Amino acid sequence: MLNFLRFLKKTYIWKFFIQNLFYPIYHFIWKYLINFNARILYFIWFIKKRDFIKFNQNDKILIKDNDTFKNISNKILKECLLLLKNSKKKILSEKYKKEQSEKMGPTAVDAELPYRISMYEDLSEALKKEILTFASSDFMISTAANYMQIFPILTRVQVYHNTPREGGEIRGAMHWHRDTFGFKNLDFFMAITDIDDENGPFYTLEKKIKAGTFLSFSNLVSTTKKGERGKVSSENFFQYFKNEPSLKLTGNSGDAMFLDSFSSYHRGGFCKSGDRIALRFCYQSHDALFSSQVSEEGFYIYDKSLHKKDVNDIFKKYLFFKRPSKIMNYLANKIVNFYRLIDFKV
């Protein structure tokens, strides 16, 4: 039976079934049943006319020369430059390598030769608040809600520092992959430092993959190594997507990309020389797999001054503090495993 299923998932018939029949039906179920409350909030939110970025039937878009983005990026850059030397020192330290090994296991990609760290926790409280104000602005919420077609949860706020490593090579998230933690989301990546081919651009396929949430590859970099499971080498990736152009996040501080990382294959840049700092937000739904953004005491972990009981606005309360119920916590793993069970393979 298992052998037949493996064979079936590689056939054109299965691909056609998933893309043209299953996906549109499930998309309806996901919006109106699994995310019923978020769908109601979405309708209420858009009673008022709001500005947002339109994706024009794609699942990613590159943004250049946005003054609002440039303004917040410059503020983040000023603080990060003061922290950069110590941040790099920490990434290269044996202590950090040991911490990563204890956290993920000694053979995990991020533990064998660490190359990135989050700087967000070291930023001033004033700047953190400003970043959160930006992430929760009407424009950013509306862009995420319009794409997802439900009201989102802000599950991650990170300022990543990537640095080149002697002896380092393309590995882990530098290979092509999609994030297999849910059905639909919206990530926001913004350059804090200027980014070029030397300090690690972010890449994604330019075209939208039809029902991309359910596409997986047979020839993987690894099926067991933590950080490389589900990753695809460029050679194997472009054997399938022959001559397909890629979008590349390079340019000035403040240039950015919105991307559905659950459906769009992408890869992180390989720092050859020079350091890269980038801002990332994740807007997700309660059925996705994510680490809780709310502490046990009820504080929003990316701004410890924000407590659930002090937020009365229904939209901000959902954005910052929505957590999956016990039933959804149980179901979310089952749902994601179901996605992996029915995917079509190439």
Side-chain angles (χ1 to χ4, degrees):
M1 184 64 182
L2 282 176
N3 286 335
F4 175 73
L5 183 60
R6 291 190 189 104
F7 166 77
L8 181 64
K9 288 166 64 169
K10 293 181 181 180
T11 63
Y12 176 78
I13 292 172
W14 188 255
K15 177 182 175 182
F16 181 90
F17 167 72
I18 294 296
Q19 289 184 329
N20 297 287
L21 297 174
F22 177 82
Y23 185 90
I25 293 170
Y26 184 76
H27 193 196
F28 181 88
I29 293 169
W30 182 81
K31 281 194 297 185
Y32 288 98
L33 295 180
I34 295 174
N35 285 285
F36 177 77
N37 290 344
R39 184 65 173 168
I40 296 299
L41 279 179
Y42 164 86
F43 283 124
I44 298 171
W45 177 260
F46 281 113
I47 288 174
K48 179 181 176 182
K49 186 176 180 180
R50 302 178 190 273
D51 293 326
F52 53 82
I53 292 173
K54 297 178 181 178
F55 285 74
N56 298 321
Q57 304 303 310
N58 209 325
D59 54 359
K60 80 278 295 180
I61 190 167
L62 192 62
I63 307 296
K64 296 275 191 177
D65 299 319
N66 181 292
D67 289 337
T68 302
F69 292 5
K70 286 180 182 179
N71 181 51
I72 187 67
S73 180
N74 287 335
K75 290 179 180 180
I76 297 170
L77 180 60
K78 284 180 182 178
E79 280 205 16
C80 284
L81 288 177
L82 299 175
L83 302 168
L84 191 61
K85 185 177 179 181
N86 285 338
S87 180
K88 181 161 185 161
K89 185 177 179 181
K90 183 174 182 179
I91 295 172
L92 302 178
S93 71
E94 284 300 316
K95 181 181 177 182
Y96 184 63
K97 180 180 172 68
K98 184 179 178 183
E99 288 173 2
Q100 295 297 90
S101 294
E102 291 173 352
K103 181 180 177 182
M104 295 177 286
T107 60
V109 171
D110 281 76
E112 286 184 330
L113 194 67
Y115 63 93
R116 59 182 176 178
I117 199 169
S118 174
M119 302 177 77
Y120 182 81
E121 293 75 15
D122 297 321
L123 300 178
S124 68
E125 294 304 315
L127 182 56
K128 287 180 188 176
K129 283 187 178 295
E130 202 160 347
I131 292 171
L132 257 290
T133 299
F134 170 55
S136 60
S137 64
D138 280 12
F139 179 77
M140 295 295 284
I141 292 174
S142 298
T143 296
N146 178 68
Y147 172 76
M148 295 173 69
Q149 295 291 290
I150 62 169
F151 196 82
I153 308 165
L154 182 58
T155 62
R156 185 186 299 187
V157 180
Q158 298 289 355
V159 176
Y160 283 117
H161 171 204
N162 287 39
T163 195
R165 292 296 307 258
E166 185 177 346
E169 57 186 16
I170 292 176
R171 59 204 184 276
M174 302 173 199
H175 291 296
W176 288 96
H177 67 283
R178 58 179 181 81
D179 300 335
T180 55
F181 307 125
F183 179 71
K184 196 172 189 180
N185 79 336
L186 192 67
D187 278 348
F188 174 74
F189 296 93
M190 183 168 72
I192 302 302
T193 53
D194 293 346
I195 297 178
D196 57 27
D197 288 335
E198 288 298 307
N199 68 343
F202 178 90
Y203 296 86
T204 186
L205 202 64
E206 186 173 312
K207 78 168 189 176
K208 181 179 181 178
I209 303 168
K210 192 173 183 179
T213 305
F214 299 104
L215 167 66
S216 66
F217 283 76
S218 298
N219 296 319
L220 301 173
V221 173
S222 175
T223 57
T224 56
K225 189 178 181 66
K226 194 165 186 179
E228 289 193 340
R229 291 192 291 257
K231 307 299 192 295
V232 187
S233 69
S234 287
E235 181 184 2
N236 286 332
F237 185 75
F238 285 109
Q239 278 184 0
Y240 182 72
F241 290 111
K242 292 177 182 176
N243 303 316
E244 290 289 348
S246 299
L247 281 180
K248 182 167 65 171
L249 179 53
T250 54
N252 301 321
S253 176
D255 290 343
M257 184 183 292
F258 288 96
L259 168 90
D260 184 341
S261 63
F262 292 169
S263 65
S264 183
Y265 271 83
H266 57 280
R267 68 181 182 91
F270 173 46
C271 289
K272 300 174 186 176
S273 63
D275 293 72
R276 185 194 76 185
I277 302 172
L279 175 68
R280 183 182 184 184
F281 300 148
C282 293
Y283 298 95
Q284 298 183 331
S285 58
H286 74 146
D287 55 296
L289 300 179
F290 57 87
S291 299
S292 179
Q293 80 285 10
V294 185
S295 71
E296 290 297 321
E297 299 77 22
F299 292 96
Y300 188 62
I301 64 171
Y302 299 110
D303 182 354
K304 302 293 196 309
S305 69
L306 268 181
H307 194 279
K308 185 176 181 179
K309 65 179 176 57
D310 298 325
V311 178
N312 296 316
D313 181 278
I314 60 169
F315 300 113
K316 293 297 173 65
K317 182 160 281 192
Y318 194 94
L319 181 78
F320 293 133
F321 296 105
K322 173 62 180 175
R323 288 192 285 186
S325 64
K326 289 182 180 179
I327 293 174
M328 184 50 70
N329 262 330
Y330 171 78
L331 288 177
N333 283 286
K334 304 290 184 185
I335 291 170
V336 169
N337 286 334
F338 172 68
Y339 297 161
R340 294 166 183 166
L341 179 67
I342 68 166
D343 59 15
F344 61 95
K345 291 190 177 292
V346 295

